[in-house]
Amino acid sequence: SSDSSIGKQVNHEIIGIDPGAGLMKQTAQVLKDYDLKDWKLIEGSSAAMAAALDKAYKDKKPIIVTGWTPHWMFAKYELKYLNDPKGVFGKDEQIHTIVRNGFKKDALSAYTMLDRFEWKAEEMAVVMSDIVEGKKPEEAAAEWVKKNGTKVDNWVKDLTKEKGKKLKLAYVAWDSEIASTNVVKIVLEEKLGYKVEMLQVEAGPMWAGISDGSADAMVAAWLPTTHKDYFDKYAGKFEDLGANLNGTKLGLVVPKYMNVDSIEDLKT
Ligand code: PBE
């Protein structure tokens, strides 16, 4: 009955994240394509979304959030993605490393390290979980780097050490990117002698900053779907060094205790 509909249970609200995220644009498209007229997508941040999820989960209350993998929340809670039969959230994606034009000539060892940088979703998850359990991002990243010496050594093998040359890494405060950007920062500093500044920005300014040269690099580009608008807008104004992580997913996420399996079920 309509009284017990999922829409009524959650007040027709989907808890979103920062408005610049590709995930937000995709979710807005979902509302259109699935004809979810009464529904609202609530803007906020990754941290606010996670806090809302935590609160609802503890009370076994219904909630729908915008979510993605890799993310610590799938280890901490029993969650499921709602099926997306129309495929609005896209299929295979990777996280790419992007640098500004001219970066190779200005900082060859950093460029080469960033070009070699790749890791697995499970490795990123270790850093993310340490952070959510209370470690500072730079501590969690430093510990991961220490424990994964063989892998890290391959990223920096035979590269020249600098003496405090400055670099700027742009990133958005998405949990996945807080983890990856901190790991890359530690490697560039401890293994290659750079002095790295991390610039926390929104998604649009992150792409703009690489494209106008005010930032050097980022490891936070979700392609080919999630950041397609940004990728197309700035085409030719950056260099794509390819994937640093495979096996991502995006979508609408609910606790497993909720009796709903598909985005199509939100209509009734
Ligand atoms: N995310 C995490 C980002 C990319 C990384 C899925 C929230 C986005 O939607 O743009």
Side-chain angles (χ1 to χ4, degrees), residues 12 26 46-47 58 63 67 91 95 105 113 118 126 140 142 145 182-183 197 204 210 215 225 228 235 240 255:
H12 291 94
Q26 289 168 322
S46 296
K58 281 185 178 140
I63 186 167
K91 291 211 179 71
I95 308 178
K105 153 172 83 46
M113 182 267 144
E118 53 79 29
V126 171
V145 166
N182 272 281
V183 164
E197 184 186 347
I210 300 292
T225 311
K228 184 182 191 306
D240 180 1

Side-chain angles (χ1 to χ4, degrees), residues 129-169:
S129 294
D130 281 355
I131 295 170
V132 75
E133 273 151 29
K135 282 198 187 125
K136 289 204 180 103
E138 56 269 31
E139 273 172 39
E143 252 169 53
W144 188 89
V145 166
K146 206 182 249 170
K147 283 190 192 142
N148 290 270
T150 316
K151 179 162 196 133
V152 171
D153 285 346
N154 277 320
W155 299 340
V156 296
K157 200 168 163 245
D158 300 330
L159 300 183
T160 315
K161 269 206 159 194
E162 298 291 339
K163 294 196 184 83
K165 193 171 191 170
K166 287 183 177 156
L167 283 188
K168 285 181 181 156
L169 294 179

Side-chain angles (χ1 to χ4, degrees), residues 198-211:
M198 285 177 56
L199 301 170
Q200 190 197 309
V201 291
E202 297 292 319
M206 174 174 75
W207 280 91
I210 300 292
S211 301

Side-chain angles (χ1 to χ4, degrees), residues 17 20-24 68 174 176-177 220 222 226-227 250:
I17 55 170
L23 180 55
M24 292 295 276
W68 69 96
W174 300 314
S176 35
E177 279 57 31
W222 285 50
T226 305
H227 291 172
L250 296 93

